[in-house]
Amino acid sequence: MKDIKLVDKDINLDLVEGTDEVVQSGTIILSTRRGEFDLVPELGTDRSSLLGKRFSKDIAASDIYDALSQDDRFNNIHTTVVEDRNSRSATIHLTATVKEQQVEMEVDYA
């Protein structure tokens, strides 16, 4: 599969493919609020457990797994959730297997 390459969330007229395209797809899923994209309302991540007073690393990790299950190219997903209560933000570090390669991703939620 091929897609337009995004660099720092800007469109670059290069194409991205292979493992890099899968990682970009996952980053888009994790960066999009579920229901935010009208054409595909089921796309994205439910962020309600990521940013709130009753933050739970287990529930946040479950929501990340749920979001990435929208793309069946991700396997063996492992997450680490780092919460910053002072800034009311969270950073998700994750590793997954994509096409038999280990990939790493990081997404910030504020």
Side-chain angles (χ1 to χ4, degrees), residues 57 61 65 78-82 91-95:
K57 288 184 180 183
Y65 297 134
H78 300 281
T79 64
T80 303
V81 181
V82 179
T91 300
I92 308 297
H93 304 277
L94 67 91
T95 59

Side-chain angles (χ1 to χ4, degrees), residues 16-81:
V16 62
E17 57 187 317
T19 303
D20 292 336
E21 184 272 328
V22 178
V23 170
Q24 177 174 288
S25 174
T27 301
I28 290 169
I29 290 169
L30 294 175
S31 299
T32 304
R33 285 182 179 90
R34 182 165 287 158
E36 178 179 22
F37 186 51
D38 291 336
L39 297 175
V40 187
E42 65 276 4
L43 175 80
T45 305
D46 177 3
R47 296 183 179 186
S48 61
S49 69
L50 293 168
L51 304 170
K53 292 180 181 179
R54 296 182 181 190
F55 178 82
S56 164
K57 288 184 180 183
D58 293 334
I59 294 173
S62 176
D63 287 345
I64 297 301
Y65 297 134
D66 182 49
L68 285 179
S69 72
Q70 297 170 47
D71 189 328
D72 61 2
R73 298 175 291 178
F74 286 95
N75 297 296
N76 302 318
I77 302 165
H78 300 281
T79 64
T80 303
V81 181

Side-chain angles (χ1 to χ4, degrees), residues 4-19:
I4 295 171
K5 185 175 184 177
L6 298 178
V7 177
D8 295 323
K9 299 183 182 177
D10 288 329
I11 293 176
N12 184 329
L13 293 181
D14 291 334
L15 291 179
V16 62
E17 57 187 317
T19 303

